[in-house]
Amino acid sequence: MKLDYLDQLESEAIHIMREVAGQFERPALLFSGGKDSITLVHLALKAFRPGKLPFPLVHIDTGHNFQEALDFRDNLAASIGERLIVRYVEDTIREKKLKEPTGRNATRNGLQTFTLLDTIEEFEFDACIGGARRDEEKARAKERVFSVRDEFGSWDPKRQRPELWNLYNGRIHKGENVRVFPISNWTELDVWNYIRREKIELPSIYFAHERELLVRDGKLMATAGGVIKPEPDDQLVTRRVRFRTVGDISCTAASESGADTLDAVIAEIQATRISERGETRMDDQLSEAAMEDRKKGGYF
């Protein structure tokens, strides 16, 4: 049987997930309610149903997430009958007495690392499956499918293992853990084409809708939940937008769009010359190596 390219990507991702189940004792799947992690859950169900998933779903909630994504997260976990573990950055700030960033464009996004590492330690996770893709950002393009983190959760770009064909080495020392990226070889367009083919449901925030926003530094930022405090030079507007990513509200911008269907979104992505993180993620624009520095510190 001849496989098309989506069949090949799906087969590879399912193989990787089954390798995780076979090689690790305590894996977890990082699930935020965004399109990439929703796709991972869909792939996991294909890999392991009719049995239960061999790992829980885990979300590190900054407290500044879009409500549409949180509602979708909870509803999907309940509908498939799988365990959802949520840990909150707010609790980590209080327990560790962390200093929360303040000022213009302050974000809790970087503080997620502390909560993630604490959660890995609490549940003794030895592998965390994530929805990162190589086309998102240059630091993510450097990482292997099985990415080893040391006992402090740190990633060293110079300490990566070769991955030949479909062979993945999950051997680790005590205290180390592995981040696993089954859709690393996918592009944003691949994900959307797969979502259309598989009829995967998504939060409404991914499709064009009227929304009140702040115009700040040329970006359209959500006013939802009062996370971003308006400043004198901000302009309040109502625009027809959609979100290409649904990360922390404080660092995720909307895109003006009329794409309110899957076909329209795919046509829009085919025409754009800007990557989704390049267009929407303020946290990646803090410095040339912002993502790589966060990853070295233990970030997803």
Side-chain angles (χ1 to χ4, degrees), residues 41-69:
V41 171
H42 182 83
L43 290 162
L45 294 173
K46 282 202 167 192
F48 301 109
R49 282 294 193 252
K52 296 282 287 184
L53 300 186
F55 36 68
L57 310 180
V58 175
H59 184 213
I60 306 303
D61 187 342
T62 67
H64 293 166
N65 294 99
F66 289 97
Q67 192 59 48
E68 294 95 326

Side-chain angles (χ1 to χ4, degrees), residues 255-285:
S255 306
E256 286 199 77
S257 171
D260 55 3
T261 66
L262 279 172
D263 287 342
V265 169
I266 288 169
E268 189 176 88
I269 295 169
Q270 287 173 324
T272 188
R273 304 289 293 175
I274 306 173
S275 71
E276 64 184 285
R277 293 193 71 96
E279 181 173 15
T280 66
R281 295 303 293 263
M282 304 282 281
D283 49 338
D284 289 351
Q285 297 168 22

Side-chain angles (χ1 to χ4, degrees), residues 16-17 20-21 24-31 37 40-41 44 48 53-60 83-86 116 119-131 177-182 300:
I16 291 167
M17 286 199 176
V20 171
F24 297 95
E25 295 182 3
R26 290 176 176 270
L29 190 154
L30 302 177
F31 175 58
S37 62
L40 284 182
V41 171
F48 301 109
L53 300 186
F55 36 68
L57 310 180
V58 175
H59 184 213
I60 306 303
R83 183 184 179 198
L84 173 66
I85 296 169
V86 181
L116 174 60
T119 305
I120 290 172
E121 183 177 0
E122 177 185 356
F123 293 94
E124 299 180 350
F125 292 134
D126 52 6
C128 291
I129 301 168
N177 62 84
V178 175
R179 309 289 169 82
V180 181
F181 306 114
F300 160 68

Side-chain angles (χ1 to χ4, degrees), residues 1 15 17 23 39 53 108 150 157 168 193 280 284:
M1 181 175 69
H15 168 72
M17 286 199 176
Q23 295 194 38
T39 298
L53 300 186
R108 288 181 173 176
D150 68 16
Y168 302 102
N193 278 324
T280 66
D284 289 351

Side-chain angles (χ1 to χ4, degrees), residues 61-64 88-101 107-112 114-115 118:
D61 187 342
T62 67
H64 293 166
Y88 298 92
V89 172
E90 183 80 39
D91 292 338
T92 307
I93 292 172
R94 185 178 59 255
E95 292 165 6
K96 289 185 178 293
K97 296 183 172 51
L98 297 176
K99 186 176 181 181
E100 191 168 353
T107 176
R108 288 181 173 176
N109 205 35
L111 299 181
Q112 287 184 90
F114 296 96
T115 312
D118 286 349

Side-chain angles (χ1 to χ4, degrees), residues 12-291:
E12 179 187 58
I14 288 174
H15 168 72
I16 291 167
M17 286 199 176
R18 288 174 175 165
E19 282 292 301
V20 171
Q23 295 194 38
F24 297 95
E25 295 182 3
R26 290 176 176 270
L29 190 154
L30 302 177
F31 175 58
S32 64
K35 68 181 187 312
D36 298 315
S37 62
I38 291 170
T39 298
L40 284 182
V41 171
H42 182 83
L43 290 162
L45 294 173
K46 282 202 167 192
F48 301 109
R49 282 294 193 252
K52 296 282 287 184
L53 300 186
F55 36 68
L57 310 180
V58 175
H59 184 213
I60 306 303
D61 187 342
T62 67
H64 293 166
N65 294 99
F66 289 97
Q67 192 59 48
E68 294 95 326
L70 296 179
D71 291 343
F72 193 94
R73 176 200 70 186
D74 294 342
N75 290 336
L76 179 59
S79 70
I80 62 175
E82 296 293 342
R83 183 184 179 198
L84 173 66
I85 296 169
V86 181
R87 289 294 179 269
Y88 298 92
V89 172
E90 183 80 39
D91 292 338
T92 307
I93 292 172
R94 185 178 59 255
E95 292 165 6
K96 289 185 178 293
K97 296 183 172 51
L98 297 176
K99 186 176 181 181
E100 191 168 353
T102 58
R104 185 179 179 87
N105 300 327
T107 176
R108 288 181 173 176
N109 205 35
L111 299 181
Q112 287 184 90
T113 299
F114 296 96
T115 312
L116 174 60
L117 297 181
D118 286 349
T119 305
I120 290 172
E121 183 177 0
E122 177 185 356
F123 293 94
E124 299 180 350
F125 292 134
D126 52 6
C128 291
I129 301 168
R133 309 185 319 269
R134 290 198 177 103
D135 76 322
E136 288 182 82
E137 207 278 339
K138 53 185 178 296
R140 288 188 168 169
K142 289 182 180 179
E143 265 196 296
R144 303 290 191 266
V145 173
F146 275 29
S147 183
V148 178
R149 305 302 176 96
D150 68 16
E151 62 271 33
F152 302 106
S154 301
W155 172 62
D156 182 353
K158 297 180 180 177
R159 183 178 168 251
Q160 299 195 80
R161 298 168 174 172
E163 290 183 336
L164 304 177
W165 304 289
N166 60 351
L167 302 176
Y168 302 102
N169 181 359
R171 294 185 65 180
I172 53 176
H173 298 293
K174 186 174 178 57
E176 293 180 331
N177 62 84
V178 175
R179 309 289 169 82
V180 181
F181 306 114
I183 60 170
S184 189
N185 291 329
W186 299 40
T187 66
E188 180 188 16
L189 186 58
D190 295 334
V191 171
W192 279 102
N193 278 324
Y194 187 71
I195 286 169
R196 179 171 61 180
R197 188 186 83 166
E198 299 292 309
K199 298 182 173 55
I200 299 172
E201 293 188 13
L202 293 178
S204 59
I205 195 171
Y206 278 112
F207 300 97
H209 56 285
E210 295 279 338
R211 196 176 189 106
E212 183 185 75
L213 302 137
L214 282 173
V215 182
R216 173 176 290 182
D217 303 331
K219 298 288 187 184
L220 294 168
M221 306 302 295
T223 58
V227 173
I228 300 177
K229 307 300 181 190
E231 296 188 356
D233 59 339
D234 292 333
Q235 181 186 4
L236 269 177
V237 298
T238 299
R239 298 277 172 81
R240 188 166 178 78
V241 297
R242 72 178 195 87
F243 287 82
R244 291 177 71 179
T245 65
V246 294
D248 189 286
I249 290 172
S250 62
C251 58
T252 305
S255 306
E256 286 199 77
S257 171
D260 55 3
T261 66
L262 279 172
D263 287 342
V265 169
I266 288 169
E268 189 176 88
I269 295 169
Q270 287 173 324
T272 188
R273 304 289 293 175
I274 306 173
S275 71
E276 64 184 285
R277 293 193 71 96
E279 181 173 15
T280 66
R281 295 303 293 263
M282 304 282 281
D283 49 338
D284 289 351
Q285 297 168 22
L286 296 176
S287 72
E288 183 66 21
M291 171 68 86

